[in-house]
Every structure is written in C-alpha cells, then in structure tokens.
Amino acid sequence: MKAEYINPFVESVYELFLTMLSCEVNRGDIGLTQEMGQPRDITALIGLSGPARGIVVLSFPVNTALSIVSRLLGSEVRVVDESLLDSVAELVNIVAGGAKAKLHADDPPIDLSLPTVVRGQRYSVEHPSKSSWLDVPFTSELGTFHLRVALEASAMVNEDQGVPAAARETR
Amino acid sequence: MKAEYINPFVESVYELFLTMLSCEVNRGDIGLTQEMGQPRDITALIGLSGPARGIVVLSFPVNTALSIVSRLLGSEVRVVDESLLDSVAELVNIVAGGAKAKLHADDPPIDLSLPTVVRGQRYSVEHPSKSSWLDVPFTSELGTFHLRVALEASAMVNEDQGVPAAARETR
C-alpha cells in the first residue's frame, strides 16, 4: 500500500480530533494485522471503492467512545445507545470523507459506502486472507483507539517501500 | 427503496445458489429491520457506493455456512477457519457483483468495497438510525440465511410503493 493511501486517513483523524473535539491525538507504530477487533470494542466501518477497494475502520474501547461522544455533544454520555452509535458511525464517515477529499487531487475519486457499527461482547472483524489491515494505534486524552485500513491486493503495501512515515508534519 | 434496488440482489442469491451450489432457495417475506445479526451468526458485509450508497449483508448461522462451504469445496468442512471465512466473504462479493451487473444496464454503475466478515459469540451489526435494512430471509436444503441491504436515505424505500415483489419470475 502506497504512503498516499494511508496518510490521508491519518491526517483526517488528526483533523477530526483537533477541529471537532479540541483534542490532540498521537499515533503509535503503524503495523500490519490480519485480524482485528478487541472484544467489547465499538467498531465503525465504511467501505471504499474506486481506485482503492477496501475498508476503513475506527475501533474504540467503550470508554473512549463515551468520552469522545460526550465531548462532541457537550454533555456526559454514559450509555451505549443509538445516538452514540450514530455519532461513532459519523466519525468514520468524516475520516473517510476527509481522506477522500485529500486523495481526490491526484487520483480518481474514491467512493464511500454507508458506515456500519459492530459491537458486542466477543467478536472479530476479518476480511479475506489475501488482504491485510494496516493498523494505526492512537492515544489521546479521550482514550486510545485504532484506525485500520484494508485495501485489496491490487493496491497493497509494497514491502520494499516499508511502512509510510507519519503524515503529521503535513498538517 | 425502489424495487430495482433489492430485486437484483435477490436474483443474485438465487443464481449463486443454483449455479455454484446446485441448490434452490426460497425467500420469505421481505421486511424492514433497524438492527441485524443473530448471536453466533457469521455475517459477511460489502459496501456499495455510487447511486446507491449502502451495504449488502449475508448472514449465516454457523451450520448453514459449514454446509454451503462444504458443498462449494466438495468436501466436508467442520470448523470455522480462515478458508471458510474467505468463502463466505466471496459469497457476498458474488451476490453484490451479480447485482451490480444487473443494475448497470439502466443506472450509473455501483461500486463495491472489499468484503468483511464479522463473527463472534454475541454481537450486533448496526448502521446509522436514518437508514433501514431491508431484510430477506431465505430457506434452503443447506440451511436458513438472511440477505440484508441497507441504502442511505436518498435512495430509501418509498412506503407508498410497498415492498417489492420477488424477483423470482425473472430468473
């Protein structure tokens, strides 16, 4: 996967948190992962199609999701209800939409599907074994969370190029 | 949601089962559902974008998934492993791809994202509350399963038109 595919998503996360939540986030090491999802996490997914056929995922521990949505709405949210799930779905929509806008300049446009939210006691979210997730862990004062992006084989990571550097300096 | 949006998916399911699995399927009543996913089901999702921004889902009880993949591979599959999840992901890919081809004749093309598979002990798959899933239950000799299609509000079902008739006669 080329750097230009992951960086816009990382940038989008920075921007979302800074502009909508007044919260700086820090990313950890980008890694490859074949399977994803911690038990009890709230996982928001949105499909990508076009030059990059894939999926963008934001995966939040429940406490992180509650903190984020509390700040977003300006009042304390203590339960995982429909309104919280809507907000989490909107977050992945905004991140993917922001990335789409950044990618659009040089590439054919990427289209987004509807977001979906998975939650439960114990589950995993997987995708065909020919693809891999690029996993980006984030920390923030609102809690930890993960950004994960899967792209199909034709747009996969070029191992020789290594994992792209953070996009942070381009903010 | 117009009939032309759901029928191609139903047709695709019929064709997939008939051509790849030599299995006739029967559909039950089409309904609207706001939340989806039975505990323990294996749920394969694929995003749609373009004129219909949405998600297509095939949700199988574990036993149905094992029976389908056993017949597909020509040997008995008894465990849910990566190979089975790949096969289930491919099923939703084929159903969405078949529907895309049918829709293409009259409409702008629909693009597909990568498929994703969710499985676990207890989870639910939800989407923003402004949309609704159209749920189509199927029965077959390989077991029961569900087709679910979510489309965003701009392409939602027109309640006055009612639920579209089965596409079966067009096979």
Side-chain angles (χ1 to χ4, degrees):
Chain A
M1 193 165 76
K2 294 180 190 167
E4 60 257 39
Y5 278 117
I6 188 68
N7 281 349
F9 296 97
V10 174
E11 284 175 45
S12 252
V13 170
Y14 283 128
E15 288 171 6
L16 166 70
F17 275 74
L18 210 55
T19 58
M20 294 185 62
L21 299 163
S22 304
C23 173
E24 277 213 25
V25 296
N26 296 293
R27 72 157 185 82
D29 291 335
I30 298 173
L32 293 171
T33 172
Q34 199 70 24
E35 185 178 329
M36 42 158 293
Q38 292 300 306
R40 294 167 182 275
D41 273 11
I42 296 175
T43 301
L45 308 94
I46 194 164
L48 301 179
S49 58
R53 187 170 178 245
I55 304 169
V56 180
V57 173
L58 285 175
S59 193
F60 304 96
V62 171
N63 283 341
T64 303
L66 291 172
S67 298
I68 288 173
V69 177
S70 293
R71 184 166 300 184
L72 201 61
L73 303 181
S75 64
E76 192 176 353
V77 176
R78 296 183 192 191
V79 291
V80 176
D81 59 6
E82 194 176 87
S83 149
L84 181 128
L85 297 177
D86 276 1
S87 298
V88 170
E90 190 53 26
L91 294 179
V92 78
N93 197 28
I94 292 169
V95 167
K100 172 186 166 168
K102 292 176 204 300
L103 284 166
H104 200 341
D106 302 318
D107 297 293
I110 284 180
D111 280 331
L112 308 180
S113 77
L114 276 189
T116 307
V117 180
V118 186
R119 62 168 172 149
Q121 292 300 310
R122 219 172 84 200
Y123 67 90
S124 65
V125 179
E126 298 166 55
H127 65 287
S129 53
K130 63 185 172 181
S131 314
S132 295
W133 296 96
L134 214 52
D135 179 287
V136 190
F138 285 90
T139 56
S140 79
E141 62 179 336
L142 297 174
T144 62
F145 63 96
H146 284 256
L147 164 72
R148 294 188 179 96
V149 181
L151 293 170
E152 71 179 352
S154 64
M156 277 303 296
V157 64
N158 181 338
E159 301 289 350
D160 296 336
Q161 294 178 348
V163 169
R168 200 161 191 189
E169 65 277 12
T170 66
R171 276 196 294 158
Chain B
M1 194 166 75
K2 294 179 190 170
E4 59 257 41
Y5 278 117
I6 188 68
N7 281 347
F9 296 98
V10 174
E11 284 176 44
S12 251
V13 170
Y14 283 129
E15 287 171 5
L16 166 70
F17 275 74
L18 210 55
T19 59
M20 294 185 62
L21 298 164
S22 304
C23 174
E24 276 212 25
V25 296
N26 296 293
R27 73 158 185 80
D29 290 336
I30 298 173
L32 292 171
T33 172
Q34 199 69 22
E35 184 178 328
M36 43 157 292
Q38 290 302 305
R40 294 168 183 273
D41 273 10
I42 297 175
T43 302
L45 309 93
I46 194 164
L48 300 180
S49 58
R53 188 171 177 245
I55 305 168
V56 181
V57 173
L58 285 175
S59 194
F60 304 97
V62 171
N63 283 341
T64 303
L66 292 172
S67 298
I68 288 173
V69 177
S70 292
R71 184 169 298 185
L72 202 60
L73 303 181
S75 63
E76 193 175 351
V77 177
R78 295 184 194 191
V79 292
V80 176
D81 60 7
E82 194 177 85
S83 150
L84 181 128
L85 298 176
D86 276 2
S87 298
V88 170
E90 190 54 24
L91 294 180
V92 79
N93 197 27
I94 291 170
V95 166
K100 172 186 165 169
K102 293 175 205 300
L103 284 166
H104 200 340
D106 303 318
D107 297 296
I110 284 181
D111 280 331
L112 307 180
S113 77
L114 275 188
T116 307
V117 180
V118 186
R119 61 167 174 152
Q121 292 300 311
R122 219 173 82 199
Y123 67 90
S124 65
V125 179
E126 298 165 57
H127 66 284
S129 54
K130 62 185 170 178
S131 313
S132 295
W133 297 96
L134 213 52
D135 179 287
V136 190
F138 284 91
T139 56
S140 77
E141 61 179 337
L142 296 173
T144 62
F145 63 95
H146 284 256
L147 163 73
R148 293 189 180 94
V149 181
L151 293 171
E152 71 179 349
S154 64
M156 277 303 296
V157 66
N158 182 337
E159 302 289 350
D160 296 335
Q161 294 178 348
V163 170
R168 203 162 189 186
E169 66 280 10
T170 66
R171 273 196 295 159

